[in-house]
Amino acid sequence: MKAWEATIRITQAATRKRANTIFGTQGPSSQAEEEIIEAEQQEHVEEHANGEIFHAERFLPNGDYYSGYWLDNFPHGQGKYWWTDGCMYVGDWFRGKTMGKGTFSWPSGAMYEGNFKSGFMDGEGTYTGPTGDTFRGSRVMNLKHGHGVKEYVNGDCYDGEWCRGLQEGHGRYTWKNGNYYVGEWKNGTIFGKGKMYWTNGNVYEGNWEDGFPKGHGTFRWADGSFYVGNWSKDPNEQNGTFYPSGSLLEGGNLEWDPQQVFNVDLIECTICPPEKVPILPSQKKLALWRSSKAVDSNIRPRRMSLDGRIDAPPVDREFGRIRLSDVAGPSASTSYTLDDSMVGLQEPDGYLRGSPIRIPKVVKRQGQTISKGHKNYELMLNLQLGIRVSVGRPGPPPSLDLKPSAFDPREKYWTRFPTEGSKITPPHPSCEFRWKDYCPKVFRALRMLFKVDAADYMISICGNDALRELCSPGKSGSFFYLTNDDRYMIKTMKKAETKVLLRMLSAYFNHVRAFENTLVTKYYGLHCVKLSGPAQKKVRFVIMGNLFCTNYSIHRRFDLKGSTFGRMTDKPESEIEATTTLKDLDLNFILRLQKTWFQEFRRQVDRDCEFLEQEGVMDYSLLVGIHFREADITEEQTPSGCRTPIDNGGSENETVPRLSRTDMDQLLLDQAGWASIKLGINMPARVERTERKATEAEVQLIGEPTGELYDVILFFGVIDILQDYDITKKLEHAYKSMQCDPNSISAVDPKAYSRRFRDYIFKVFIEDN
């Protein structure tokens, strides 16, 4: 009888708490009621052994309700969770995360039925909006991604490919009046090649841009007339030829304005905007009451949510408001306010993931600053001065449509820089030198193609901040310099490498123009400094993008080629740092990409390797940087096999909060966060730890998976693409082949290198199932 009365009191108190929460009339007794619920539930909850799965129905302290199976303190298996705001989930759970098949409903009447993964709508499913529009198809991290069909409430319908929540790829859009478009899409708009069909029989076939005809195309009428030419909304750019039909020639009106297509035919062909979901399943907090047994009875247990949030102690309040853009990289500009409950974080599997990390006062930056007295100080001044003059020199606006002569290796310009200055050069404190620009029109077009602003480019390289010199990570003997903002890397070049780049420049330009997601190195300029004096020293250098320009900490970096001979770092364990570039036999992870990203990755690696093979180059590698999202900067909480160094120069009392997986996922769902994610840049993924088995027969290039998975952010790109298979490499191949297996060495012909590189990379990167 007492147990029954206690259950009634708990239910009544929870019901009052639910009503207070829903209607916003929470009175002064709410805290006492919460304590009653916690205390009386504590007395009557059955004891279960750790790891035991059991069924229970519970009213949670904040008014939420859950009925279903539990594992320890977390929903696990089939269950129903009802939030006080009216949202509800019914389906599969895995240690506190929605995982498997389920149904999520909103109080507005919206509903999603389908697959879930780690709290996200992920996989095949059907979403019905509050107004009646419906989407059936594939999702990744809540967003429409892959093939799907969207039926809009106004009668329109889209059937095709999606990317990050927007139409992208090939698809068909049908309007309610019967008109329809079939063709390519980009960022939610008609973009590329496609056909538009009108119910009156008219058809347009050609190029599109931002939802309108742009470029070459043909408009046909039902009577057989057609117009062929260059299309544009700007009448000054419109030109073409009108071909009337036979019936029209007999007595019809031959006067026709092409702008009629924009002003009349397309006026009602507008694309419905994407729906806005007020709150996503992965953003919902799951309240959990924690047992206070075996702890001090004077301390009231802190409530915790299953998405990793607990009430923060007062000492952490000062960190309650931070900018996610300070953590997630330069492209994420949206500012969020994080409440105090986000500071301490606990993962359902019991792994403490949110304790404040210790960061030293001074974070050591990679490289040595080139200050006055450095042996390369004058060379740096010459380089900065040459860039400032050549990039800032007035000229015609850059264009992507270049003449073949622009790619001629003889297309180079010398500029003399006397110390006293000249008509086109300023006076300077360095020695006199001469400056050479290689194919300036091409590199100006490349900078425009890569969306590099000329002013920002000059500020990064030629600003008041000095460059930083890096020691060479390879055997080429080249010097590397980093700009102060880490955006650009400058590498000194051998004459042979310069010739290779100039030889393949036309093919390189066409390749990066055709494939926006190419992984090959981005080149921004090729120059030469010739110093005066008896030595007449020439220093050639290329400016390229820095793959690791990010606010994420790169915990591990690997240079992967697919060969085994000499492909292990010869440093002892204690000397390996986060800036150390490891090699193939040091890699102890398999990198898992989400399905659509993995498919795009395979396609792009094939395209890039085919391009490099056709150009006759080899010895390139895939540079990979890994940021472990769950790793504190302490060795104790770093995933096994991932050594993350710590700088002991700072104070242990200086701590800042780290974002939980939920907060980071919320950032990635923001448009600015998604915009920063590209193939090889800021890519959310998982890695699985591997272990190599000792065998006497051969070296195991890829270890055996262990099942240990970690959430990461990946950065990767193809580097060192300027090595010809010349006589030097052929002799290297012959010499090393006498010592070891010819397939294990880096120096092989371009065709064999490309095949081996792809085979290896597609074993390191796999699809995440």
Side-chain angles (χ1 to χ4, degrees):
M1 180 63 71
K2 290 183 180 180
W4 178 79
E5 291 175 349
T7 303
I8 293 297
R9 287 199 301 275
I10 293 172
T11 304
Q12 290 174 343
T15 303
R16 289 195 299 274
K17 177 66 169 65
R18 182 186 300 276
N20 290 340
T21 305
I22 293 176
F23 297 107
T25 58
Q26 186 162 340
S29 62
S30 61
Q31 182 173 344
E33 290 174 354
E34 289 184 26
E35 292 177 348
I36 291 174
I37 296 173
E38 292 180 2
E40 298 195 346
Q41 280 194 2
Q42 177 68 46
E43 294 176 4
H44 296 92
V45 168
E46 298 181 11
E47 292 294 333
H48 296 276
N50 289 337
E52 178 185 354
I53 298 176
F54 60 94
H55 188 279
E57 178 181 355
R58 291 182 181 175
F59 288 95
L60 301 170
N62 68 343
D64 292 354
Y65 167 82
Y66 176 77
S67 175
Y69 289 92
W70 297 76
L71 175 62
D72 299 330
N73 289 311
F74 310 108
H76 188 83
Q78 277 284 330
K80 177 173 74 173
Y81 195 104
W82 182 37
W83 287 267
T84 55
D85 63 0
C87 293
M88 183 172 65
Y89 172 80
V90 181
D92 297 330
W93 297 80
F94 182 81
R95 298 190 66 84
K97 293 284 187 182
T98 53
M99 183 83 76
K101 292 187 178 296
T103 301
F104 190 96
S105 58
W106 287 261
S108 63
M111 183 176 69
Y112 170 80
E113 183 177 3
N115 291 308
F116 288 79
K117 182 177 178 181
S118 299
F120 293 92
M121 297 182 288
D122 199 301
E124 295 295 321
T126 300
Y127 172 84
T128 303
T131 59
D133 51 348
T134 303
F135 174 80
R136 298 184 301 276
S138 177
R139 289 178 179 267
V140 174
M141 292 178 66
N142 292 329
L143 297 180
K144 296 182 282 288
H145 200 86
H147 184 267
V149 178
K150 179 67 180 286
E151 297 178 355
Y152 298 89
V153 68
N154 70 345
D156 292 357
C157 178
Y158 173 81
D159 183 350
E161 297 300 314
W162 299 75
C163 182
R164 308 177 192 173
L166 298 173
Q167 296 97 327
E168 185 157 327
H170 190 272
R172 170 173 173 153
Y173 194 101
T174 305
W175 284 267
K176 59 182 178 181
N177 59 11
N179 299 338
Y180 65 96
Y181 166 83
V182 180
E184 297 177 353
W185 295 72
K186 185 175 182 180
N187 293 330
T189 62
I190 298 174
F191 197 108
K193 293 184 178 181
K195 286 185 178 182
M196 175 76 81
Y197 298 84
W198 283 266
T199 53
N200 60 10
N202 295 345
V203 178
Y204 170 81
E205 180 179 4
N207 293 311
W208 297 75
E209 186 174 304
D210 295 330
F212 295 98
K214 182 68 180 292
H216 189 269
T218 302
F219 192 96
R220 299 182 183 275
W221 284 264
D223 64 2
S225 305
F226 63 96
Y227 174 90
V228 180
N230 187 67
W231 292 78
S232 175
K233 290 184 69 176
D234 185 354
N236 297 325
E237 297 179 0
Q238 179 92 32
N239 59 77
T241 304
F242 177 64
Y243 297 90
S245 63
S247 59
L248 192 61
L249 285 172
E250 292 177 0
N253 182 12
L254 297 180
E255 294 183 2
W256 174 78
D257 182 6
Q259 291 298 306
Q260 183 180 341
V261 174
F262 299 94
N263 301 328
V264 179
D265 297 84
L266 292 171
I267 195 67
E268 295 182 357
C269 297
T270 57
I271 310 301
C272 291
E275 79 281 354
K276 294 183 179 180
V277 182
I279 188 167
L280 297 165
S282 58
Q283 296 171 322
K284 293 296 295 178
K285 298 180 182 180
L286 281 71
L288 175 65
W289 175 81
R290 301 281 289 185
S291 172
S292 60
K293 289 185 178 183
V295 298
D296 189 347
S297 60
N298 295 324
I299 301 177
R300 182 167 176 258
R302 295 194 293 171
R303 280 179 289 115
M304 181 181 297
S305 62
L306 290 186
D307 64 353
R309 306 161 193 263
I310 61 175
D311 290 336
V315 70
D316 291 329
R317 302 278 179 185
E318 62 182 292
F319 304 113
R321 182 177 180 85
I322 64 175
R323 284 182 59 85
L324 289 188
S325 59
D326 295 335
V327 181
S331 299
S333 58
T334 304
S335 177
Y336 294 86
T337 301
L338 309 184
D339 57 31
D340 294 332
S341 64
M342 296 185 183
V343 177
L345 306 167
Q346 180 81 13
E347 188 66 8
D349 58 9
Y351 171 65
L352 186 63
R353 52 174 289 140
S355 300
I357 60 175
R358 295 178 175 87
I359 297 180
K361 287 183 179 179
V362 179
V363 179
K364 293 181 179 179
R365 302 184 69 185
Q366 189 179 8
Q368 177 188 3
T369 301
I370 304 176
S371 55
K372 197 166 186 178
H374 191 283
K375 64 178 181 179
N376 290 324
Y377 179 71
E378 285 196 349
L379 178 62
M380 180 193 73
L381 294 181
N382 298 343
L383 185 154
Q384 292 178 322
L385 188 59
I387 293 287
R388 186 182 296 116
V389 170
S390 61
V391 175
R393 179 181 292 140
S399 171
L400 296 181
D401 298 322
L402 299 173
K403 297 180 180 179
S405 59
F407 299 94
D408 192 327
R410 293 171 295 183
E411 189 75 4
K412 50 194 175 185
Y413 300 93
W414 282 101
T415 304
R416 180 171 167 268
F417 282 79
T419 55
E420 67 276 8
S422 66
K423 292 182 180 180
I424 59 174
T425 64
H428 58 89
S430 181
C431 62
E432 180 176 330
F433 67 95
R434 294 181 69 197
W435 171 267
K436 183 193 290 186
D437 266 331
Y438 294 93
C439 301
K441 293 180 182 178
V442 177
F443 286 103
R444 182 177 293 187
L446 284 171
R447 293 194 292 271
M448 183 178 74
L449 185 65
F450 296 140
K451 298 179 176 59
V452 174
D453 181 76
D456 292 339
Y457 182 71
M458 286 193 292
I459 290 173
S460 293
I461 301 175
C462 315
N464 295 327
D465 297 310
L467 303 177
R468 303 197 311 276
E469 185 179 74
L470 310 179
C471 59
S472 173
K475 300 177 181 179
S476 64
S478 299
F479 286 94
F480 291 84
Y481 304 95
L482 267 178
T483 58
N484 188 63
D485 58 7
D486 289 336
R487 292 179 63 184
Y488 304 106
M489 182 173 286
I490 301 166
K491 175 188 176 184
T492 59
M493 300 267 286
K494 295 179 180 179
K495 187 176 182 179
E497 291 176 314
T498 304
K499 287 183 176 180
V500 172
L501 179 54
L502 291 173
R503 186 199 70 206
M504 62 186 289
L505 190 56
S506 178
Y508 172 83
F509 180 83
N510 293 331
H511 182 78
V512 297
R513 186 179 181 183
F515 303 110
E516 183 181 1
N517 286 333
T518 180
L519 298 176
V520 297
T521 306
K522 291 181 170 61
Y523 292 121
Y524 301 113
L526 181 63
H527 312 281
C528 174
V529 171
K530 184 176 181 181
L531 303 178
S532 299
Q536 294 285 302
K537 180 182 178 183
K538 285 185 179 180
V539 181
R540 302 171 185 86
F541 56 89
V542 66
I543 302 174
M544 50 193 178
N546 178 20
L547 185 62
F548 297 150
C549 178
T550 172
N551 285 344
Y552 287 116
S553 299
I554 303 297
H555 296 126
R556 273 293 165 263
R557 55 191 75 196
F558 296 91
D559 182 89
L560 306 177
K561 293 186 177 182
S563 56
T564 56
F565 185 79
R567 299 299 294 165
M568 179 179 288
T569 305
D570 55 359
K571 285 187 176 182
E573 179 84 11
S574 58
E575 294 182 12
I576 294 179
E577 302 175 347
T579 56
T580 301
T581 301
L582 304 174
K583 300 178 183 178
D584 301 68
L585 296 181
D586 300 309
L587 181 68
N588 54 350
F589 294 104
I590 291 175
L591 313 179
R592 295 178 170 270
L593 300 181
Q594 182 274 332
K595 180 179 179 180
T596 53
W597 277 122
F598 177 72
Q599 292 172 346
E600 176 61 25
F601 173 75
R602 284 192 66 105
R603 286 194 295 267
Q604 194 56 55
V605 169
D606 284 337
R607 294 165 183 159
D608 291 341
C609 286
E610 287 170 6
F611 158 68
L612 297 173
E613 182 181 333
Q614 290 172 2
E615 293 304 309
V617 295
M618 40 74 67
D619 212 23
Y620 45 86
S621 56
L622 188 75
L623 182 64
V624 180
I626 304 177
H627 167 83
F628 287 86
R629 287 169 57 182
E630 299 187 7
D632 282 356
I633 308 181
T634 59
E635 291 192 2
E636 292 76 16
Q637 293 187 2
T638 298
S640 175
C642 169
R643 303 181 297 273
T644 304
I646 180 172
D647 191 331
N648 297 321
S651 169
E652 293 187 357
N653 296 324
E654 295 188 8
T655 59
V656 296
R658 220 173 35 87
L659 298 181
S660 69
R661 181 191 306 172
T662 303
D663 304 324
M664 191 65 72
D665 291 339
Q666 181 175 353
L667 167 69
L668 296 178
L669 290 172
D670 174 70
Q671 289 185 355
W674 273 102
S676 69
I677 301 174
K678 297 180 180 179
L679 186 66
I681 302 294
N682 291 335
M683 287 193 65
R686 296 198 300 171
V687 299
E688 181 176 4
R689 187 168 176 258
T690 61
E691 289 183 354
R692 288 183 175 82
K693 293 181 179 179
T695 59
E696 296 181 359
E698 59 180 357
V699 178
Q700 193 175 13
L701 192 56
I702 304 291
E704 301 294 331
T706 63
E708 298 179 27
L709 297 169
Y710 308 102
D711 291 325
V712 298
I713 303 293
L714 291 182
F715 300 82
F716 50 83
V718 179
I719 63 170
D720 294 338
I721 64 171
L722 302 179
Q723 179 59 60
D724 249 337
Y725 190 56
D726 54 16
I727 185 62
T728 304
K729 288 296 178 180
K730 291 177 181 178
L731 290 174
E732 179 184 343
H733 175 81
Y735 175 73
K736 291 183 177 179
S737 296
M738 295 186 291
Q739 300 177 341
C740 59
D741 180 5
N743 293 323
S744 69
I745 60 179
S746 296
V748 294
D749 72 85
K751 188 173 183 179
Y753 191 95
S754 173
R755 182 176 60 252
R756 184 184 64 187
F757 178 80
R758 278 186 270 191
D759 290 344
Y760 171 63
I761 293 302
F762 294 148
K763 292 177 182 177
V764 172
F765 286 80
I766 64 173
E767 182 181 330
D768 190 1
N769 297 318

